[in-house]
Amino acid sequence: LRTMRLLCSVGVFMEHSLPTEGQSVETAFSLSPAGVLLQTTTESSSLAPFVSHWTEKPMWDAWSELPNYVAGKFTESPFERANQMSIVDFYKTNKESAKHRNGVARLISPGEIQAVIDGFDWKSLSGKTIVDVGGGYGDMMNAIAKKFPNIKCHCMDLPEVIA
């Protein structure tokens, strides 16, 4: 009950008092609008991958190295310094973490896609071929091909990204 009330205090749940027979009151909880955004079993967009990704210990450790990196005290990436491996190698060996990271990329992608479509003269590439290396599921190439059918679009990514 304490944990549920704590989550109410930060806006994840809402507490309701339900009258019962007699004089007792039953407590019930429901998701707040913010809590709805954290669901993992929903058809709508969920922010759960962001929470899972950014709260993993390797990511927290990397953030702690950022001030010294910005100050020029070392040249390796903060992630490498904190975790003794590159982020690419980390995701290769930590499939669950890669799943969260890829979930974040899929959520960010729609807003970026429209900005890329609007911010570049795609007509200048009519009759040409473009390849999005590291393009995940191909959302960018699909959007460009749909809007500019005279451009041949291809997407390439690693099998573990699109699995």
Side-chain angles (χ1 to χ4, degrees):
L1 189 58
R2 287 182 184 160
T3 301
M4 296 297 283
R5 287 192 169 136
L6 172 66
L7 290 168
C8 287
S9 74
V10 295
V12 175
F13 290 116
M14 295 182 296
E15 185 174 357
H16 310 279
S17 296
L18 305 174
T20 61
E21 291 183 31
Q23 295 181 345
S24 64
V25 175
E26 186 174 301
T27 299
F29 296 90
S30 64
L31 286 172
S32 69
V36 169
L37 295 174
L38 298 174
Q39 294 181 94
T40 57
T41 55
T42 180
E43 292 183 21
S44 62
S45 293
S46 171
L47 296 179
F50 283 94
V51 174
S52 298
H53 175 65
W54 289 112
T55 59
E56 286 187 301
K57 185 171 179 0
M59 298 308 286
W60 277 111
D61 291 346
W63 281 108
S64 71
E65 297 291 343
L66 189 61
N68 288 329
Y69 175 76
V70 171
K73 294 183 179 177
F74 55 87
T75 57
E76 64 195 317
S77 78
F79 190 92
E80 287 179 42
R81 186 162 177 97
N83 298 288
Q84 290 75 52
M85 69 172 68
S86 73
I87 199 162
V88 172
D89 290 338
F90 175 76
Y91 288 134
K92 282 182 183 176
T93 58
N94 294 276
K95 303 298 184 194
E96 191 66 20
S97 294
K99 182 177 139 187
H100 299 312
R101 187 259 171 241
N102 292 337
V104 168
R106 280 191 298 275
L107 286 171
I108 292 173
S109 191
E112 292 175 340
I113 289 171
Q114 195 58 51
V116 170
I117 294 233
D118 294 343
F120 184 76
D121 179 19
W122 293 102
K123 291 179 184 175
S124 68
L125 296 178
S126 184
K128 300 201 172 163
T129 301
I130 59 173
V131 178
D132 185 0
V133 178
Y137 291 95
D139 296 340
M140 183 71 72
M141 292 297 96
N142 287 333
I144 293 169
K146 184 177 178 181
K147 184 145 187 177
F148 304 98
N150 293 328
I151 300 174
K152 291 182 183 177
C153 298
H154 299 279
C155 177
M156 299 173 63
D157 213 319
L158 298 171
E160 58 265 22
V161 172
I162 59 174

